[in-house]
Amino acid sequence: MHLPYRRVTIKVIPPYFYVADGTVPIIFKGETQNWKGKVNTYKKAYFNQFIVADSTRIGISSISSKTQANILGIIEKKKDFIDFNLNTEILNKQTDGKFGSDGLLLWNKHLQRFIYTYFYKNSYEVADKNLTHQFTGKTIDTISKPILDIAHYTATNQYKLGGNAVFVNRQTATYANYLYIYSTRLGKYENSIKTASIIDVYNLTDNTYAFSFYLFHQKDKKLSAFTIYKDLLVAIVDDTLWLYQLKPKYFNSGFK
């Protein structure tokens, strides 16, 4: 409890739960039966995201100390030791440094794949459970090179992202064969609705765009997070938790 925690994240993957802070860095693991956690890994790697693949394997995204770009890694707890591996090649770093490769890391249990969706360009990366790159997917957006607003603070020699950067993929989720992406940028044939968010759906088995749908919610509010489980979509919009049921006719993935 004496550690300098700054960004604690909690994930529940029954029958386990995880509490982690990549700034320390530390990951606790425990059982949901009694909610008592123990140190799983400590001081193995700093990270800004972590995602649980299975009971022994955790995927992370981190920042390279050499290039300052985002990189992916795996922390795997084996019988007598903890194995840690980084992959510096998957994320496509452009001239904009770490901001251009910012994004969200997901794990697809059914396909046994890690998925990393870029915030500021129309693509995502898919890798297997060992972080071997499988393919780069393209979204229906037209921004292939990030449009960023980067400010340099001379006093601290820091670079920060300004408010005029163009978000392409704001939130993502995955389940079964599909990748779901929430974007505030409208497509050519899409209309803005103040009471809904647009979700684009991609098929990960053949690397194609499938369809889009409206997620209706309270007026003039933004979708801040969502996840998929079986035929349910759970979303947080402003201060409200929404629960939707997906129709098997459109979301038939072959998994239950």
Side-chain angles (χ1 to χ4, degrees):
M1 297 304 295
H2 66 281
L3 295 174
Y5 298 101
R6 289 187 292 168
R7 191 172 65 236
V8 175
T9 305
I10 300 171
K11 294 185 184 297
V12 180
I13 316 291
Y16 303 107
F17 74 95
Y18 300 80
V19 179
D21 189 329
T23 67
V24 175
I26 194 169
I27 300 175
F28 294 91
K29 178 184 176 182
E31 296 183 359
T32 56
Q33 185 177 2
N34 55 28
W35 298 101
K36 294 181 179 180
K38 296 181 179 180
V39 174
N40 187 60
T41 63
Y42 179 43
K43 290 186 176 180
K44 283 297 176 182
Y46 292 94
F47 55 89
N48 46 44
Q49 295 180 75
F50 84 102
I51 193 79
V52 179
D54 55 45
S55 60
T56 63
R57 189 184 307 254
I58 294 174
I60 64 168
S61 68
S62 186
I63 303 294
S64 170
S65 58
K66 295 181 179 179
T67 65
Q68 295 302 303
N70 287 279
I71 55 177
L72 300 181
I74 290 178
I75 300 174
E76 187 174 7
K77 192 164 187 178
K78 298 185 177 180
K79 185 176 181 180
D80 299 320
F81 66 99
I82 295 175
D83 191 21
F84 173 61
N85 292 299
L86 284 175
N87 188 318
T88 60
E89 303 298 324
I90 292 179
L91 303 185
N92 180 21
K93 183 180 74 69
Q94 298 182 22
T95 56
D96 28 70
K98 88 176 191 70
F99 297 113
S101 58
D102 276 353
L104 288 173
L105 179 63
L106 302 172
W107 168 253
N108 186 299
K109 176 183 176 181
H110 300 97
L111 301 178
Q112 294 288 291
R113 295 289 187 266
F114 287 105
I115 304 163
Y116 188 92
T117 306
Y118 296 104
F119 282 140
Y120 304 108
K121 57 183 177 180
N122 62 350
S123 57
Y124 56 90
E125 310 290 354
V126 178
D128 68 13
K129 64 180 182 180
N130 298 313
L131 278 188
T132 300
H133 189 244
Q134 301 297 298
F135 64 87
T136 299
K138 296 293 183 182
T139 71
I140 56 177
D141 199 281
T142 57
I143 295 180
S144 59
K145 292 185 178 181
I147 301 174
L148 302 176
D149 173 24
I150 300 175
H152 178 240
Y153 294 85
T154 307
T156 58
N157 194 29
Q158 288 184 319
Y159 292 88
K160 293 188 178 181
L161 200 61
N164 293 322
V166 178
F167 261 102
V168 176
N169 307 308
R170 283 189 173 270
Q171 295 292 335
T172 60
T174 186
Y175 189 79
N177 293 343
Y178 297 125
L179 172 65
Y180 301 79
I181 296 180
Y182 164 57
S183 175
T184 53
R185 287 171 48 79
L186 294 176
K188 184 177 181 180
Y189 301 105
E190 293 174 337
N191 297 315
S192 176
I193 299 180
K194 293 184 177 181
T195 57
S197 300
I198 298 174
I199 308 295
D200 300 322
V201 183
Y202 300 87
N203 193 318
L204 295 170
T205 60
D206 57 11
N207 191 17
T208 60
Y209 164 74
F211 56 90
S212 300
F213 64 93
Y214 288 105
L215 198 67
F216 290 92
H217 49 69
Q218 65 269 48
K219 186 177 180 181
D220 293 325
K221 301 299 181 181
K222 297 294 184 181
L223 175 67
S224 59
F226 74 105
T227 190
I228 312 288
Y229 179 68
K230 294 184 178 180
D231 62 343
L232 298 177
L233 188 154
V234 183
I236 298 176
V237 182
D238 195 47
D239 61 352
T240 303
L241 183 70
W242 288 81
L243 184 65
Y244 306 84
Q245 187 167 29
L246 305 176
K247 294 183 178 180
K249 176 182 178 181
Y250 303 104
F251 300 89
N252 182 17
S253 60
F255 292 105
K256 296 182 179 180

